[in-house]
Amino acid sequence: MRRTETGWQKKLTKEVSQRSQRILFVDYQLIKEFLEKGGYVLSDLETPKVLRLLDQAFGIHALVVGHLSGPYVFMTKSIKDRDEMAKAILKVETSIVDTLSGKTLKTLSATNPIIASREKGTYSEEKAKVKAIDLAISDLSKALTRELDSLDWFCRWRKWRGGYLH
């Protein structure tokens, strides 16, 4: 199975980045290629050895992993209305993993209010799904930003030919 960064992950990254100036994200593709060159597969990502490697190579202090359940769509069509009405619900769950210890620091989840995803008319099913994702991501990004901002951050400095690297 080929694993790539999904649309909801990109949305979550964008929202968290907009909410905080303290949090920096590393490019998913860069990490994937780095691991492949080292002989690792993405399923090794949460192992202590790979977590320490990410910390040493990129200075990554925390890894956010997650998955989406759904969206589950409910369609109705009344006799009076010719248009279909759709509602969608989904759940996004994430864990913040400390790269030094390999321990899960926090698990967060968000579910959209189903009534808020209600859409009517043409493409109502797709519109309801998009709205459900947007609502859940918005809620999750607030909590995730708060948790990541509260982590203690540090950096390492090394002397390098008359200058310094960090």
Side-chain angles (χ1 to χ4, degrees):
M1 180 172 103
R2 186 168 176 223
R3 190 171 167 188
T4 59
E5 187 175 35
T6 62
W8 72 266
Q9 291 167 325
K10 288 178 185 177
K11 281 184 179 191
L12 183 59
T13 300
K14 183 179 177 183
E15 287 225 10
V16 171
S17 293
Q18 290 173 342
R19 292 180 188 280
S20 175
Q21 300 299 313
R22 295 184 60 212
I23 303 167
L24 300 173
F25 288 91
V26 178
D27 181 57
Y28 178 85
Q29 193 63 35
L30 176 73
I31 298 297
K32 182 180 175 222
E33 290 171 9
F34 174 78
L35 291 177
E36 287 172 352
K37 284 180 186 175
Y40 298 99
V41 292
L42 282 175
S43 59
D44 296 333
L45 192 59
E46 294 178 61
T47 63
K49 185 176 182 178
V50 171
L51 289 169
R52 278 190 299 279
L53 183 62
L54 292 175
D55 174 58
Q56 292 168 354
F58 296 100
I60 296 172
H61 301 292
L63 178 69
V64 178
V65 293
H67 69 278
L68 181 114
S69 301
Y72 304 104
V73 180
F74 306 93
M75 302 285 294
T76 57
K77 187 173 185 177
S78 67
I79 297 171
K80 294 178 186 177
D81 263 336
R82 293 183 184 179
D83 292 331
E84 290 183 331
M85 186 174 56
K87 297 176 193 169
I89 191 163
L90 62 88
K91 183 176 187 177
V92 182
E93 294 180 285
T94 60
S95 295
I96 303 170
V97 182
D98 179 63
T99 56
L100 290 176
S101 68
K103 294 181 181 178
T104 299
L105 301 173
K106 190 79 169 186
T107 300
L108 303 166
S109 67
T111 304
N112 67 292
I114 191 167
I115 195 71
S117 70
R118 185 173 72 184
E119 289 289 335
K120 196 174 185 180
T122 309
Y123 305 114
S124 60
E125 183 176 354
E126 291 306 311
K127 291 177 190 174
K129 287 179 189 178
V130 169
K131 202 175 218 180
I133 290 170
D134 288 347
L135 291 166
I137 293 297
S138 179
D139 283 350
L140 182 62
S141 70
K142 291 172 191 169
L144 187 57
T145 302
R146 201 170 33 254
E147 289 300 323
L148 291 173
D149 273 345
S150 72
L151 294 177
D152 290 329
W153 297 104
F154 62 91
C155 66
R156 294 179 289 275
W157 292 85
R158 294 185 187 147
K159 191 169 183 172
W160 177 61
R161 295 186 193 189
Y164 288 92
L165 286 178
H166 67 283

